[in-house]
Amino acid sequence: SQQGEEDPQALSIQEGENATMNCSYKTSINNLQWYRQNSGRGLVHLILIRSNEREKHSGRLRVTLDTSKKSSSLLITASRAADTASYFCATPLYSGGGADGLTFGKGTHLIIQP
Amino acid sequence: SAVISQKPSRDICQRGTSLTIQCQVDSQVTMMFWYRQQPGQSLTLIATANQGSEATYESGFVIDKFPISRPNLTFSTLTVSNMSPEDSSIYLCSAADTGELFFGEGSRLTVL
């Protein structure tokens, strides 16, 4: 069953603005990952945040994790047209962690208007 | 990071036929997985491809419908058997490397 739930399901913003997507999950995890998918192609791994981390940065991406609220957020700053894609959060399917398959949320479809 | 190649990238198939998708990883990986993404939906794990033994299937997926092979640490195949239009999806191969999961470009199947 899917554990992660992203919101919003769709987001449209102007180029240059910041985009924030949220993900909630149900059970305890030891890590959470964010992926991007362009037009039904393969997924690109963006960032992994471990349960003992509260925030992580990678370029224009900032991910936060609040294990007490079982939620994570992905912030894309200074958005570009190329950021248009679907974004998924994913958590380990079982409790084993990194070697497990993942369960994915339904995704947020982000559209950057030029 | 692992680089994953899948083929075919897309195919149009007739109802009742079977198709085998190949997945090649550029390095040895411990874990390989197969996912399905139905139109407009998120990804669902079909099975874990185990090297040298039978795949481990998730609830709702069975070996007769989705036989999987994994003869070594860099290669796996997924067969979609006796296809129906409901099997029209993107099928993605993935590999776990250092705790992160990397994906191939996917194989988009359309069943008529």
Side-chain angles (χ1 to χ4, degrees), chain B residues 66-79:
Chain B
F66 298 102
I68 289 171
S69 78
R70 189 168 174 205
N72 57 51
L73 292 175
T74 64
F75 186 78
S76 179
T77 67
L78 168 74
T79 298

Side-chain angles (χ1 to χ4, degrees), chain B residues 46-108:
Chain B
I46 297 172
T48 302
N50 300 310
Q51 193 266 328
S53 63
E54 192 172 285
T56 304
Y57 290 85
E58 297 301 315
S59 176
F61 298 96
V62 295
I63 188 171
D64 290 346
K65 177 66 175 177
F66 298 102
I68 289 171
S69 78
R70 189 168 174 205
N72 57 51
L73 292 175
T74 64
F75 186 78
S76 179
T77 67
L78 168 74
T79 298
V80 186
S81 303
N82 188 24
M83 287 184 283
S84 68
E86 291 72 34
D87 294 320
S88 297
S89 294
I90 300 172
Y91 293 86
L92 296 110
C93 171
S94 67
D97 185 24
T98 63
E100 297 179 6
L101 202 61
F102 297 92
F103 284 82
E105 285 293 305
S107 299
R108 184 185 292 270

Side-chain angles (χ1 to χ4, degrees), chain A residues 2 31 33 35 37 39-45 47-48 50 88 93-94 97-107, chain B residues 30-31 33 35 37 40-45 48 57-59 90 92 96-106 108:
Chain A
Q2 288 182 333
N31 68 73
Q33 304 185 49
Y35 289 84
Q37 184 179 38
S39 300
R41 296 176 63 83
L43 273 72
V44 174
H45 184 269
I47 200 163
L48 179 152
R50 302 190 189 282
F88 296 90
L93 188 57
Y94 304 108
D100 287 331
L102 299 176
T103 181
F104 286 80
K106 293 180 180 178
Chain B
T30 306
M31 309 293 288
F33 306 92
Y35 286 82
Q37 186 177 28
Q41 302 294 314
S42 186
L43 283 75
T44 301
L45 180 64
T48 302
Y57 290 85
E58 297 301 315
S59 176
I90 300 172
L92 296 110
D97 185 24
T98 63
E100 297 179 6
L101 202 61
F102 297 92
F103 284 82
E105 285 293 305
R108 184 185 292 270

Side-chain angles (χ1 to χ4, degrees), chain A residues 8-21:
Chain A
Q9 292 189 14
L11 178 63
S12 179
I13 61 173
Q14 295 295 316
E15 193 167 18
E17 295 181 339
N18 296 340
T20 299
M21 289 158 274

Side-chain angles (χ1 to χ4, degrees), chain A residues 34 49 54-56 62-66 71-74:
Chain A
W34 284 91
I49 186 166
R54 291 296 169 257
E55 188 170 306
K56 200 164 183 179
R62 182 172 75 98
V63 168
T64 63
L65 180 63
D66 187 335
S71 67
S72 174
S73 67
L74 170 66

